[in-house]
Amino acid sequence: DPIEISRDGRAIMLVLDISESMEIEDMELTGKPTNRLVIAKEVIDSFIDKRRGDRIGLVVFGSEAFLHAPLSFDHPMIKQFLADAQIGFAGPKTAIGDAVGLSAKKLIEQTQGERIMVLLTDGQNNMGSLAPLDAAKIAQKHQIKIYIAGLGSSRMVVDGFFGPQAVNPSLSLDEAEPELKNVASMTGGR
């Protein structure tokens, strides 16, 4: 039997970092070292499964930002586009501001329901033409809430010249944290 889906939910744009740094294997999944993109995809996939009546879209970004899947009630299609997203498709750098700006533009087009952006990244803005805080101002003006999830471990052991060394593979995320917190807080997100 067909399942009735409420169509008055939120418009949620998922904004996924697919820059080169997402390839770092500093996280674990089922006890095995796993790169950040795999973890992000697992989290997003689970998030999509819990949404009912919400339109979901997907923006991916590296050096550039692209609308990978438009806002849709077709959640299986969004999950397929998510599965197809690969590291490097959008370039090696991290254009967070451009990704937030593009996502805001697509959410502004939605006239009904709450508009939300969920940004998953492991680094700081180092590319693009729009600063993250400027993009957040656009979102704020149109009552779009931005929620940010940082990805990466604060400690990883790597083999060095003098043997194993502990390093912080998420240093760029640590440096970007104050700016990302400002982006989220100015729009009412987290």
Side-chain angles (χ1 to χ4, degrees):
D1 293 334
I3 299 171
E4 185 68 30
I5 297 177
S6 169
R7 301 217 181 247
D8 60 352
R10 298 171 184 91
I12 302 172
M13 188 61 74
L14 302 170
V15 188
L16 178 61
D17 185 345
I18 58 170
S19 64
E20 276 183 351
S21 59
M22 292 292 282
E23 202 163 26
I24 296 172
E25 291 186 352
D26 63 341
M27 304 186 87
E28 286 187 6
L29 184 65
T30 63
K32 296 177 185 166
T34 305
N35 75 40
R36 296 167 178 179
L37 183 59
V38 170
I39 297 297
K41 286 182 176 184
E42 287 287 323
V43 169
I44 292 172
D45 198 78
S46 175
F47 176 81
I48 292 171
D49 285 341
K50 296 175 184 163
R51 308 314 313 160
R52 296 285 182 256
D54 293 335
R55 291 162 298 197
I56 298 176
L58 177 63
V59 165
V60 296
F61 69 98
S63 301
E64 298 181 46
F66 297 98
L67 179 65
H68 199 51
L71 286 161
S72 173
F73 291 108
D74 187 351
H75 295 180
M77 184 246 343
I78 301 297
K79 289 172 72 167
Q80 183 58 54
F81 277 100
L82 173 66
D84 292 343
Q86 299 298 318
I87 293 169
F89 274 8
K93 301 282 187 181
T94 308
I96 294 172
D98 289 357
V100 170
L102 175 60
S103 300
K105 178 182 177 191
K106 295 302 175 185
L107 286 168
I108 289 167
E109 296 169 0
Q110 302 301 308
T111 58
Q112 293 180 312
E114 189 176 12
R115 297 174 292 186
I116 296 172
M117 193 182 308
V118 179
L119 170 67
L120 292 96
T121 185
D122 71 341
Q124 64 187 45
N125 190 70
N126 59 18
M127 190 74 186
S129 58
L130 188 60
L133 287 174
D134 292 336
K137 289 175 187 173
I138 295 167
Q140 179 186 37
K141 179 180 174 185
H142 295 280
Q143 295 83 43
I144 298 169
K145 290 183 181 177
I146 302 175
Y147 294 87
I148 300 175
L151 299 163
S153 173
S154 61
R155 186 173 188 277
M156 178 178 164
V157 177
V158 296
D159 289 328
F161 184 72
F162 297 108
Q165 291 181 243
V167 297
N168 180 355
S170 298
L171 191 56
S172 64
L173 181 60
D174 293 345
E175 292 169 356
E177 187 176 331
E179 182 179 35
L180 293 176
K181 281 184 177 180
N182 287 338
V183 165
S185 66
M186 73 187 296
T187 64
R190 292 186 210 135

